[in-house]
Amino acid sequence: MSTDANAPWLVVGLGNPGPEYAMNRHNVGFMVADLLAERTGGRFKRAGKAQAQVVEGRMGPPGPLSRRVVLVKPMSFMNLSGGPVNALRDFYKVPTAHVVAVHDELDIDYGTLRLKLGGGDNGHNGLKSITKAMGPEYHRVRFGIGRPPGRMPVADFVLKDFSSTERKELDFFVDRAADAVESLVLEGLERAQGAYNS
């Protein structure tokens, strides 16, 4: 990766704004971003003209190994995430390879993580919007939510809250996803994949 190692990272949790969406499967990216903000000791604030909330902070131990990060929750609704993300990438001068999107993934079992760089959007409207705005060469932390039961339409499934059974383990899985993001930013993709791709 020929990017400046000292360039900041933009970690984007994907979701929909508003309390009615807060516990939806589609909002797991927001949950991970909230936990990372808590870990960095920051609070989300409106980002100027961009339709997003941001926290600026650092990841890792104090000193030369720590990394500057900007945590982002787009407030534009999932399907329009690309505009705010691209605006913030430009504003903070973040190389595309230092952008990390944390999102729900239907084709992976619940709670399973997969990290990768680039690739398609697999029908995910948030990724589709980001890729359209800045190309596909950004990192993804894919949080498995599994497939809908029976004939339930995908759109209904992702906009439903996690089930009571799923919620029992949700905090653990969100915590693990936040660890995976930190590992990716601090140690690189290969080491993070080795530790968290299950």
Side-chain angles (χ1 to χ4, degrees):
M1 202 188 324
S2 62
T3 54
D4 174 8
N6 297 316
W9 285 76
L10 200 69
V11 176
V12 182
L14 289 177
N16 286 308
E20 67 273 34
Y21 298 106
M23 289 306 293
N24 285 182
R25 293 183 177 94
H26 223 19
N27 267 43
V28 76
F30 273 17
M31 296 173 200
V32 175
D34 284 336
L35 179 56
L36 287 166
E38 214 175 283
R39 289 182 182 184
T40 59
R43 294 181 71 118
F44 276 101
K45 296 187 192 72
R46 194 83 195 185
K49 290 180 183 170
Q51 268 189 298
Q53 290 184 352
V54 300
V55 171
E56 295 181 48
R58 297 194 80 84
M59 269 181 196
L65 295 179
S66 81
R67 294 282 171 262
R68 187 171 159 230
V69 291
V70 181
L71 306 172
V72 180
K73 294 197 295 186
M75 293 285 128
S76 54
F77 287 94
M78 183 69 88
N79 301 4
L80 302 170
S81 300
V85 172
N86 202 33
L88 290 166
R89 181 186 69 113
D90 287 347
F91 179 77
Y92 288 103
K93 299 181 171 52
V94 176
T96 304
H98 275 209
V99 176
V100 182
V102 184
H103 64 92
D104 56 305
E105 178 65 63
L106 287 158
D107 285 339
I108 303 175
D109 290 341
Y110 174 60
T112 300
L113 295 176
R114 292 269 195 286
L115 285 74
K116 68 173 191 170
L117 173 64
D121 55 56
N122 205 17
H124 192 290
N125 289 327
L127 296 182
K128 203 174 285 183
S129 178
I130 293 174
T131 297
K132 189 176 172 193
M134 61 182 210
E137 289 306 306
Y138 55 93
H139 287 89
R140 297 98 191 277
V141 173
R142 304 155 74 205
F143 186 111
I145 58 168
R147 282 260 156 204
R151 296 186 174 181
M152 184 192 288
V154 164
D156 293 350
F157 179 69
V158 298
L159 292 175
K160 276 201 171 13
D161 287 359
F162 283 102
S163 70
S164 53
T165 310
E166 288 169 333
R167 275 204 294 271
K168 287 177 185 152
E169 292 181 295
L170 184 59
D171 286 350
F172 170 77
F173 289 141
V174 167
D175 196 64
R176 193 163 179 271
D179 290 347
V181 172
E182 290 180 345
S183 173
L184 170 61
V185 169
L186 296 169
E187 301 173 314
L189 179 62
E190 267 182 54
R191 290 192 66 169
Q193 284 176 324
Y196 294 96
N197 275 17
S198 41

